[in-house]
Amino acid sequence: MSIRVLIADDHPVFLEGLRLLLDSADGIEVVGAAEDGRRLVELAEDTPFDVAVVDLDMPGLDGGGATRQLLNDHPGTAVLVLTMHDDPQSVDRALRAGARGYLLKGARHGAVVRAIAAVAEGETVFGGTVGRAVVEAATAGGRPRLPFPDLTAREGEVLELVARGSGNAAIAAELHLSLKTVQNHVSALVAKTGSVSRAELVARARDAGVGSGPDSARGPRAGGGPGPH
């Protein structure tokens, strides 16, 4: 039985090349292709699939958000990230979203096909330099790993307060910022953490230990509810 594969990439030429590559591989059937994450999620609603091959950077819903949505809606399926980014933040974003594999776009055709087969069987696959980076991070001698290391200092302050349940107005008052500036920071945090909503941002931050300080149990501070982002 063939592995049913959905593919998503916002570069039409690469997307078509990937489709042709996979269609020519034994044991793989491309059942749908999308040029953004939102369309991928829509395709998955009506198209049975086993593996989704997803780029990270896509307009609208990016690869991280699409991965989380796919795995939430279709438990038992697998996601393989195929991207040009080999930085630790991108790898971390994909893993936190639930991806089982991470390959760079320079990977050989055979490596992509083998990775799809592997993640379909429940294995975890990291290609080339990405694999070495993951191993090094896992064997780093117990060095503490900061959550969301690509955030600015100010974004870190805002995230701490958001995770504690503070609304935008309360954050603006505490940090002496305008409401619009806080809204911009929250929007940036949603994007940088690969979240799709403020609620998910809070959940991801708390999972990473952000907002768990001694005064976090007091709940939302005076100044309003979550507010827009």
Side-chain angles (χ1 to χ4, degrees), residues 153-162 168-178 181-182 185 221:
R154 177 62 82 188
E155 287 169 345
E157 293 175 334
V158 173
L159 181 60
E160 177 72 25
L161 294 174
V162 168
N168 287 352
I171 295 172
E174 176 149 343
L175 299 181
H176 306 290
L177 301 172
S178 71
T181 297
V182 172
H185 279 311
R221 305 180 185 195

Side-chain angles (χ1 to χ4, degrees), residues 174-210:
E174 176 149 343
L175 299 181
H176 306 290
L177 301 172
S178 71
L179 183 59
K180 180 62 175 176
T181 297
V182 172
Q183 291 171 341
N184 290 340
H185 279 311
V186 174
S187 294
L189 287 167
V190 169
K192 283 190 173 184
T193 59
S195 303
V196 295
S197 66
R198 187 185 184 112
E200 184 175 358
L201 171 65
V202 171
R204 288 169 61 80
R206 289 178 177 172
D207 285 345
V210 179

Side-chain angles (χ1 to χ4, degrees), residues 54-165:
V54 180
D55 188 16
L56 277 184
D57 291 335
M58 294 186 291
L61 184 63
D62 68 7
T67 295
R68 279 188 299 278
Q69 191 66 52
L70 288 174
L71 298 180
N72 181 69
D73 295 345
H74 308 280
T77 59
V79 173
L80 170 68
V81 168
L82 183 60
T83 182
M84 62 183 293
H85 300 294
D86 62 354
D87 59 282
Q89 291 80 15
S90 294
V91 177
D92 183 69
R93 179 157 54 112
L95 295 181
R96 286 177 178 273
R100 283 190 197 163
Y102 196 107
L103 292 184
L104 300 181
K105 285 186 174 179
R108 294 182 179 276
H109 292 176
V112 177
V113 172
R114 288 192 297 272
I116 290 173
V119 299
E121 291 295 323
E123 299 178 26
T124 302
V125 178
F126 300 102
T129 59
V130 174
R132 289 193 292 273
V134 171
V135 171
E136 289 172 0
T139 58
R143 291 197 301 266
R145 183 168 171 270
L146 297 176
F148 316 120
D150 55 336
L151 302 186
T152 67
R154 177 62 82 188
E155 287 169 345
E157 293 175 334
V158 173
L159 181 60
E160 177 72 25
L161 294 174
V162 168
R164 292 180 184 179

